[in-house]
Each structure stands twice: as structure tokens, then as C-alpha cells.
């Protein structure tokens, strides 16, 4: 790891989901090289314990260290929810998670002071979004709901039609959005793919907050503040993709998450402590 302008940004996630964050980073910071690691052999993280997710997260960071990264983005909400303190304590470079940036946008944009957050069981049980929202705006009323079935629906490409609509109605239709909630945080990498169906179910008065864009803005700010942003427009931009399972499914499903064809992912082994 190297605090130098020309080094790359490292990004890790449990699998393909973090490609929604990588996509926002590529749009916001086109001059920056990136190394993306998807821990496809161990996905999902959202139903695992905080201890195990932290152990996997440290192993991911260790693997990315070999690529000389200057900043680490924890694109996975579940890993951001449980492993940020351990990662920040161990790494000599800035570490940006997806929770604080998403919470900031939500806390600033709610007019009614009532916000809902959805995520994996691990993210919701950790209380990380609830804590971040209250730290930013203590008077906020925060409602939270785990929506585990949204992850396989997004990966299977079931993002419209009756099945995702019924699932969304089941998760979001009842108490979650009663009483004036006007902001809904999509606290999982996969949920932006379902934003149309979620929007239909929650109605036009509820604003959806996608952490990916907020995170890309935060990375931009940190790089600038730390004088780590690339400024040479002629320097070549590299994109590396690493996975821990064989790459086929990652390449196929990932193209939908990234919004462009994917090729050249390399399989690596993680060294677990
Ligand atoms: N990337 C995870 C997250 O954002 C979702 C998939 C998983 O459970 O690993 O929480």
C-alpha cells in the first residue's frame, strides 16, 4: 500500500454487488486506476456473523495490499457495518466505507425527520446505519428492515414483474413507511438494481438514497484532502478484477451490475488469519 497519487484505488466486496460502487467511482473519478476484489468464494456476507465478516474483510485488504493501493473502498455494506474499525486500525491508507456517506445524504435530505433503512440481516442487526444517522442528526426517527431476498433477486436479474413487486410489498408495505418516512436508504450493494420496483412500492413521496454515489463523492473528497488524487490526464488508467471463485459467474452477473461487459478477472486465494 502506497500513499502516492499514481497508485490505484482498491475496492472490495463480498462478490458482484460492489460493482455498483465501482461504477459510480469510474464515473466520478475517470482518471483513477482501480483494483476490484470480489470474494465470490465466500459470498454472501449479509447472513454471516460480524467476527467472520471482519476476518474476511482483513484478508481482502491484505490481498489488495499487493496491488499497491492508495485508498481502500469497502463497497460491501455488511463489511462496512462491522469491519471498518478493524480495517482502519490495521491499514496505513485511508479507508472509506459506504455507510457514513449514505447516512449523510439521508440525514441531510429528510424533511420530515423520519428515515428508513433497508439492508442485509447483518447490516441491520449491527445498527451501523441507525448509529451513523443518529450521530449526524440525533432527532431523526429511524426505521430499519432486513430484506435478504433482494440479493438473489438482483443476481438472478429478477428486477421487475410480479415476483420482486410482491417481495418488495412484503418488506416495505407495512409499518416501515408509515407515519411520514420520506427517505429510504438502499443499504446494500444489490438494491440499486431493484430501485424501480422499490420506488413503485414506496411511492413518489419517498426519496431513495443510493450509497454508491455518496461514496464516490466521499472518495473524491478524501483523495483531494490527502493530495492523493490523480491529475495527469495522459496517464494510463488500469482496471483489475480479482475473484476468489472461478470467474465465470462473476463476469456474467457482474456485467449487469457494472452496466458494461466485464473481462479478464483473475482468481486468487485469500490468506485467512
Ligand atoms: N454486498 C453485500 C452488502 O452490501 C450484499 C451481498 C452479501 O450478502 O454478501 O451488504
Amino acid at each position: 500500500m502506497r500513499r502516492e497519487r499514481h497508485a490505484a484505488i482498491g475496492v472490495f466486496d463480498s462478490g458482484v454487488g460492489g460493482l455498483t460502487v465501482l461504477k459510480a467511482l469510474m464515473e466520478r473519478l475517470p482518471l483513477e486506476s482501480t483494483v476490484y476484489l470480489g470474494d465470490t468464494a465466500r459470498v454472501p456476507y449479509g447472513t454471516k456473523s460480524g467476527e467472520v465478516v471482519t476476518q474476511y474483510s482483513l484478508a481482502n485488504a491484505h490481498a489488495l495490499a499487493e496491488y499497491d493501493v492508495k485508498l481502500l473502498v469497502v463497497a460491501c455494506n455488511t463489511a462496512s457495518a462491522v469491519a471498518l474499525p478493524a480495517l482502519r486500525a490495521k491499514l496505513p491508507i485511508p479507508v472509506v466505507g459506504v455507510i457514513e456517506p449514505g447516512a449523510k445524504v439521508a440525514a441531510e435530505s429528510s424533511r420530515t425527520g423520519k428515515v428508513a433503512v433497508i439492508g442485509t440481516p447483518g447490516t441491520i442487526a449491527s445498527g451501523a446505519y441507525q448509529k451513523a444517522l443518529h450521530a449526524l442528526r440525533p432527532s431523526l426517527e429511524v426505521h430499519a428492515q432486513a430484506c435478504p431476498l433482494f440479493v438473489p433477486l438482483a443476481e438472478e436479474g429478477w428486477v421487475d414483474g410480479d415476483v420482486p413487486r410482491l417481495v418488495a410489498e412484503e418488506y416495505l408495505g407495512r409499518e416501515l413507511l408509515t407515519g411520514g418516512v420520506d427517505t429510504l436508504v438502499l443499504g446494500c450493494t444489490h438494491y440499486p438494481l431493484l430501485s424501480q420496483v422499490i420506488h413503485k412500492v414506496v411511492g413518489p413521496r419517498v426519496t431513495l438514497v443510493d450509497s454508491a454515489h455518496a461514496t464516490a463523492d466521499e472518495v473524491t473528497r478524501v483523495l483531494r484532502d490527502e493530495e492523493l488524487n490523480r491529475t495527469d490526464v495522459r496517464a494510463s488508467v488500469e482496471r483489475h478484477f480479482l475473484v476468489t471463485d472461478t470467474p465465470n459467474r462473476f463476469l456474467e452477473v457482474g456485467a449487469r451490475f457494472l452496466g458494461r461487459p466485464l473481462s479478464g478477472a483473475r482468481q486468487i486465494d485469500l490468506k485467512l488469519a
Side-chain angles (χ1 to χ4, degrees), residues 13-14 43-46 76-78 120 123 151 188-190:
D13 176 55
S14 54
V43 69
Y45 284 8
C76 177
N77 287 254
T78 311
T120 64
T123 298
V151 168
C188 173
T189 48
H190 289 57

XYZ file of all heavy atoms in Angstrom, residues 13-14 43-46 76-78 120 123 151 188-190, ligand 1:
119
model
N -15.603 -6.210 -2.127
C -16.988 -6.548 -1.788
C -17.044 -8.064 -1.626
O -16.108 -8.776 -2.004
C -17.934 -6.095 -2.918
C -19.371 -6.515 -2.650
O -19.898 -6.174 -1.577
O -19.966 -7.210 -3.493
N -18.171 -8.552 -1.116
C -18.346 -9.996 -0.985
C -18.475 -10.672 -2.350
O -18.330 -11.888 -2.437
C -19.595 -10.274 -0.148
O -20.702 -9.597 -0.708
N -19.143 -15.369 -0.588
C -20.408 -14.651 -0.612
C -21.542 -15.606 -0.221
O -21.439 -16.798 -0.549
C -20.632 -14.045 -2.041
C -20.890 -15.117 -3.091
C -21.691 -12.985 -2.039
N -22.584 -15.232 0.519
C -22.880 -13.873 0.965
C -22.269 -13.556 2.333
O -22.042 -14.460 3.136
C -24.408 -13.906 1.091
C -24.716 -15.312 1.517
C -23.689 -16.175 0.824
N -22.011 -12.271 2.562
C -21.571 -11.807 3.875
C -22.779 -11.427 4.745
O -22.680 -11.425 5.966
C -20.690 -10.555 3.736
C -19.270 -10.778 3.268
C -18.810 -12.015 2.811
C -18.370 -9.713 3.290
C -17.502 -12.166 2.378
C -17.055 -9.865 2.872
C -16.628 -11.095 2.415
O -15.321 -11.245 1.997
N -23.867 -11.096 4.082
C -25.014 -10.489 4.776
C -25.687 -11.364 5.814
O -26.407 -10.865 6.680
N -18.896 -3.142 0.277
C -19.936 -4.000 0.839
C -20.524 -3.331 2.091
O -19.778 -2.959 3.008
C -19.304 -5.338 1.202
S -20.431 -6.486 1.998
N -21.836 -3.185 2.121
C -22.471 -2.555 3.289
C -22.265 -3.377 4.547
O -22.017 -2.835 5.624
C -23.978 -2.387 3.060
C -24.297 -1.278 2.078
O -24.749 -0.208 2.452
N -24.045 -1.533 0.797
N -22.372 -4.708 4.417
C -22.232 -5.561 5.592
C -20.819 -5.447 6.165
O -20.636 -5.308 7.380
C -22.540 -7.033 5.226
O -23.779 -7.076 4.504
C -22.640 -7.901 6.455
N -28.928 -5.974 4.448
C -28.858 -7.405 4.762
C -29.146 -7.598 6.259
O -29.052 -6.635 7.044
C -27.459 -7.966 4.473
O -26.531 -7.329 5.361
C -27.040 -7.756 3.028
N -26.180 -6.194 8.278
C -26.103 -4.722 8.325
C -27.152 -4.168 9.283
O -26.856 -3.317 10.124
C -26.324 -4.141 6.905
O -25.277 -4.613 6.070
C -26.316 -2.622 6.922
N -31.212 -9.761 -2.494
C -29.874 -10.076 -3.039
C -29.973 -11.131 -4.149
O -29.537 -10.880 -5.279
C -28.890 -10.476 -1.917
C -27.616 -11.088 -2.490
C -28.536 -9.249 -1.071
N -27.589 -1.673 0.780
C -26.996 -2.924 0.296
C -26.604 -2.698 -1.151
O -27.334 -2.039 -1.907
C -28.012 -4.061 0.401
S -27.462 -5.602 -0.353
N -25.449 -3.260 -1.521
C -24.933 -3.064 -2.875
C -25.920 -3.467 -3.975
O -25.889 -2.924 -5.069
C -23.680 -3.935 -3.069
O -23.973 -5.266 -2.598
C -22.498 -3.362 -2.325
N -26.772 -4.461 -3.670
C -27.636 -5.019 -4.713
C -28.921 -4.221 -4.946
O -29.554 -4.365 -5.987
C -28.038 -6.447 -4.338
C -26.933 -7.442 -4.437
N -25.751 -7.306 -3.759
C -26.847 -8.608 -5.138
C -24.969 -8.343 -4.037
N -25.608 -9.140 -4.874
N -22.517 -6.858 -0.615
C -23.481 -7.164 0.430
C -23.915 -5.873 1.113
O -23.877 -4.800 0.564
C -24.669 -7.916 -0.125
C -24.370 -9.333 -0.548
C -23.912 -10.224 0.588
O -24.727 -10.547 1.478
O -22.746 -10.569 0.608
O -24.304 -5.912 2.249
